[in-house]
Amino acid sequence: MALSVEYTAYDVITTVLDLENDLTEKIFSPDRSERDQSESDRAAIQAIHRLFPAMRRTDRSEYLRKNIMREVIYYILWGSCGKQLLTSTINLDQADEIYKVNHWIKENFRSSFSVKDLAVQGSMSISLFHQKFKSAVGMGPLQCQKRLRLPEARRLMLDENKNVTEASAEVGYESLSQFIRDYRKMFGRPPKEDIQNLQTLLEKQAFFSEK
């Protein structure tokens, strides 16, 4: 008997994007022990087994299935076939260089940089780097930077009571108007309105939990 689990390149890429900053780079490292890889292989099989009851449930089954599938992909990436999975999924011969650059972006998203700067890091031409990066990560490098900057700005305004100008500057925006445009495009509302809406929702949740 055999078991087949289907996933898409998008499933793998979105899981990779959510990994902690240096984990993708470690997947390509030759120094990972065979024991750790074997344990991840076993954990992937155990996670797959948990898919079956999740598929049979009528309540929240799709939610559970998606999250267990992400867990399966995570363990496969950390297992003995992780490097091959990433390379074959994105079909890149320089995937390790691309993910090193992606790790650098995660560490330095507040800084200003150009695609040319990143291409130099990856030892590629600008056009080749941009093509490979988009294939590997699912978006361009500057779009990836926005996806890191804007949620952090939202957190600063919500958790640390920063105003729009302060949050914008702290995550690296030089233009306040550009920040507001990008923020609205990502979250559906301008920053101030979005934060007020979130605070109202949190206050309602706190009120009902107390009752």
Side-chain angles (χ1 to χ4, degrees), residues 95-141:
D96 53 342
E97 293 298 326
I98 293 296
Y99 284 114
K100 284 179 183 176
V101 174
N102 189 46
H103 167 59
W104 185 91
I105 293 174
K106 289 181 178 180
E107 292 288 327
N108 298 275
F109 67 87
R110 294 175 179 84
S111 303
S112 296
F113 52 80
S114 67
V115 177
K116 181 180 178 180
D117 297 330
L118 302 178
V120 170
Q121 283 193 45
S123 302
M124 303 177 210
S125 68
I126 296 174
S127 58
L128 180 61
F129 169 77
H130 193 275
Q131 175 190 343
K132 286 181 176 288
F133 190 96
K134 193 168 184 179
S135 296
V137 181
M139 66 187 76

Side-chain angles (χ1 to χ4, degrees), residues 3 6 16 36 69 97 117 130 146 150 157 161 165 171-172 177 181-182 186 205:
L3 177 65
E6 295 183 357
V16 169
D36 288 345
M69 272 301 300
E97 293 298 326
D117 297 330
H130 193 275
K146 287 180 185 178
L150 294 170
M157 289 184 285
N161 295 318
T165 303
V171 298
S177 59
R181 282 195 298 271
D182 289 345
M186 175 171 284
Q205 288 178 358

Side-chain angles (χ1 to χ4, degrees), residues 11 26 51:
D11 295 330
K26 288 180 180 178
L51 276 172

Side-chain angles (χ1 to χ4, degrees), residues 22-167:
D22 60 341
L23 296 190
T24 309
E25 188 174 340
K26 288 180 180 178
I27 291 172
F28 288 97
S29 171
D31 300 327
R32 296 180 56 226
S33 71
E34 292 185 7
R35 179 180 177 182
D36 288 345
Q37 294 178 48
S38 296
E39 288 178 355
S40 291
D41 290 341
R42 288 192 293 271
I45 295 172
Q46 292 169 358
I48 289 170
H49 287 164
R50 297 199 340 266
L51 276 172
F52 292 100
M55 295 289 285
R56 289 195 296 266
R57 291 184 59 172
T58 56
D59 59 322
R60 304 185 301 279
S61 61
E62 183 62 14
Y63 172 83
L64 292 173
R65 185 197 68 79
K66 286 182 178 179
N67 281 276
I68 295 174
M69 272 301 300
R70 287 171 65 84
E71 185 179 346
V72 171
I73 293 170
Y74 170 85
Y75 284 125
I76 293 175
L77 288 170
W78 274 100
S80 57
C81 300
K83 181 177 179 179
Q84 294 91 326
L85 171 63
L86 268 183
T87 304
S88 62
T89 298
I90 59 180
N91 195 27
L92 293 178
D93 56 358
Q94 293 173 290
D96 53 342
E97 293 298 326
I98 293 296
Y99 284 114
K100 284 179 183 176
V101 174
N102 189 46
H103 167 59
W104 185 91
I105 293 174
K106 289 181 178 180
E107 292 288 327
N108 298 275
F109 67 87
R110 294 175 179 84
S111 303
S112 296
F113 52 80
S114 67
V115 177
K116 181 180 178 180
D117 297 330
L118 302 178
V120 170
Q121 283 193 45
S123 302
M124 303 177 210
S125 68
I126 296 174
S127 58
L128 180 61
F129 169 77
H130 193 275
Q131 175 190 343
K132 286 181 176 288
F133 190 96
K134 193 168 184 179
S135 296
V137 181
M139 66 187 76
L142 299 183
Q143 185 181 359
C144 181
Q145 182 188 39
K146 287 180 185 178
R147 284 195 56 175
L148 295 166
R149 281 180 166 182
L150 294 170
E152 174 62 9
R154 194 185 207 191
R155 185 196 68 78
L156 289 170
M157 289 184 285
L158 189 63
D159 295 344
E160 300 185 17
N161 295 318
K162 301 280 186 180
N163 62 40
V164 176
T165 303
E166 291 170 337

